[in-house]
Amino acid sequence: LFLLFSFRMASFVLTGEANGIGKEIVRSLARDGWVRCTLVDVELVDVEGEGGAANIIQGDVVNPEDNDRAFASHVARFGPPAAVVLNAGVGESGDFPDLRCLNVNLIGVMHGIAAAMRHGMESGGTIAVVASAGGLWPMPYSPTYSTAKAAVVMLVRSMAPSLWRRHQVRLIAICPQFVDTTLGRAGARFQKGVYGMLGVRLVADMVADM
């Protein structure tokens, strides 16, 4: 899912399902007054009442054409984005290798960065990728998820210097530990040494304030 919206005078792009961290990021920005939005998801979701009138488009972050169509629609309505948050992600189904998990969590991020650079981010801005602490330590119960997130962290570390040098685009990775979402609670059941979880609003506010 993508959620693309205009916040005050700036323009933002957010990918991620309409729940968990993504949904709370929307609420956090709505509290600060964002008005216009375009929603793109594999399923059509009506977000009226979340703070603005939504333009809803069906799409999937794994498909490069859907990424381009979403960003082009955003630019046509709101102008080039000042910031992009690539938050879309899914958990592991249990089958190894889980190619859907790998594609959404890694390939979808690659397509998102590429589409952002093709559609208005050539002259500055911020791209934030919501990765995971699971990309920093092993997760024996979710090897595909952990591999995808580790690859995202290295992707960001590898691309960030040149994006800043060439385009003044800041590329960052956010790696929260277990967050109190459906996905986070499911993973915490299998991870030893988890004594607490991050509040989803805390993480969303941090992302919104980046």
Side-chain angles (χ1 to χ4, degrees), residues 2-206:
F2 295 88
L3 187 63
L4 298 82
F5 54 91
S6 174
F7 168 63
R8 298 182 186 272
M9 295 302 293
S11 175
F12 292 78
V13 176
L14 170 67
T15 74
E17 298 178 4
N19 54 47
I21 295 174
K23 184 175 182 179
E24 195 60 37
I25 290 172
V26 175
R27 289 175 173 171
S28 178
L29 289 164
R31 287 191 292 268
D32 287 333
W34 67 267
V35 177
R36 299 167 295 171
C37 69
T38 300
L39 178 68
V40 184
D41 196 354
V42 291
E43 297 180 0
L44 298 182
V45 178
D46 188 353
V47 294
E48 294 290 344
E50 288 286 2
N55 175 35
I56 302 173
I57 303 173
Q58 196 166 21
D60 189 336
V61 296
V62 171
N63 297 325
E65 296 84 2
D66 288 355
N67 282 273
D68 278 324
R69 181 163 53 92
F71 276 88
S73 174
H74 181 78
V75 171
R77 293 194 61 177
F78 307 130
V84 173
V85 181
L86 301 176
N87 170 70
V90 297
E92 200 154 347
S93 68
D95 296 327
F96 181 82
D98 186 336
L99 296 184
R100 176 65 180 172
C101 177
L102 183 67
N103 285 334
V104 172
N105 292 317
L106 174 58
I107 305 304
V109 169
M110 291 179 167
H111 288 320
I113 293 173
M117 296 307 298
R118 284 194 294 267
H119 296 276
M121 300 275 310
E122 302 94 339
S123 57
T126 296
I127 302 174
V129 179
V130 179
S132 169
L136 306 177
W137 63 53
M139 298 176 67
Y141 51 88
S142 286
T144 303
Y145 179 87
S146 184
T147 296
K149 294 299 186 178
V152 165
V153 171
M154 190 56 65
L155 173 70
V156 169
R157 293 182 66 187
S158 298
M159 292 188 69
S162 62
L163 284 185
W164 178 255
R165 184 175 62 254
R166 297 176 182 176
H167 306 286
Q168 289 71 58
V169 170
R170 184 176 60 140
L171 178 64
I172 61 176
I174 300 166
C175 300
Q177 298 186 39
F178 289 101
V179 182
D180 190 14
T181 63
T182 301
L183 179 60
R185 289 189 295 271
R189 293 200 303 268
F190 299 99
Q191 180 72 37
K192 294 181 179 180
V194 177
Y195 301 104
M197 305 188 74
L198 296 174
V200 64
R201 181 169 178 176
L202 174 67
V203 176
D205 286 347
M206 178 193 70

